[in-house]
């Protein structure tokens, strides 16, 4: 657990019971994401997501928070729903899919995103369009991500000169 004068960071494992209780009672849970697996859509340390329990089965393009069998918590996009109801997920900054996730592993579904103080629903047209495009280009995502990260690196170098 990290602590500073301004913020206190608590692991999801520590608050999992509270998270489950809030969501199961119909509430919503807001958290700041960490990591880079959902870039460029979401940036760790900057973006927040609001979770709720879905009122329908999980489907392609959804963004669930789930718990791996190892106990690790992950926020990745559903890229496919199998006939048996299992889900295949993948981070937007990744190209390896995680198969055979069960709906019982899902803790909640992202319903809102907060970025730079601005909030929007995942039902917003521009967001839905972006998500569909990003899943569609999955076969060439590795190339696109390398180009994106190369341009970001170049931009940082130019800014620092």
């Amino acid at each position: 657990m990290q602590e500073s004068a301004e913020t206190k960071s608590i692991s999801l494992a520590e608050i999992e019971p509270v998270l489950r209780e809030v969501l199961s009672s119909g509430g919503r849970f807001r958290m700041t994401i960490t990591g880079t697996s959902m870039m460029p859509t979401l940036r760790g340390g900057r973006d927040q997501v609001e979770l709720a329990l879905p009122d329908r089965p999980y489907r392609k393009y959804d963004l669930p928070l789930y718990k791996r069998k190892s106990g690790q918590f992950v926020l990745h996009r559903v890229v496919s729903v199998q006939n048996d109801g299992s889900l295949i997920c993948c981070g937007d900054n990744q190209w390896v899919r995680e198969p055979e996730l069960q709906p019982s592993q899902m803790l909640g579904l992202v319903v809102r995103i907060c970025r730079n103080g601005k909030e929007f629903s995942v039902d917003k047209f521009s967001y839905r369009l972006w998500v569909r495009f990003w899943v569609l280009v999955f076969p060439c995502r590795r190339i696109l991500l390398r180009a994106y990260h190369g341009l970001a690196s170049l931009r940082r170098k130019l800014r620092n000169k």
Side-chain angles (χ1 to χ4, degrees), residues 25-104:
S25 67
R28 292 187 172 192
F29 189 89
R30 180 172 286 203
M31 60 183 240
T32 301
I33 66 158
T34 60
T36 60
S37 69
M38 285 304 297
M39 287 179 59
T41 309
L42 299 172
R43 185 177 304 268
R46 177 191 74 181
D47 298 334
Q48 293 182 327
V49 294
E50 188 172 290
L51 301 166
L53 282 184
D55 55 0
R56 56 168 174 72
Y58 289 94
R59 56 187 180 210
K60 188 174 181 178
Y61 309 117
D62 280 348
L63 191 52
L65 174 69
Y66 60 92
K67 188 175 181 179
R68 288 180 172 150
K69 291 177 182 173
S70 68
Q72 181 182 21
F73 294 89
V74 181
L75 185 75
H76 281 174
R77 188 166 317 286
V78 176
V79 294
S80 180
V81 178
Q82 304 303 291
N83 291 336
D84 66 358
S86 66
L87 308 170
I88 298 176
C89 293
C90 187
D92 287 355
N93 194 26
Q94 299 179 325
W95 47 86
V96 177
R97 297 175 185 206
E98 187 168 2
E100 298 181 20
L101 295 164
Q102 299 305 312
S104 60

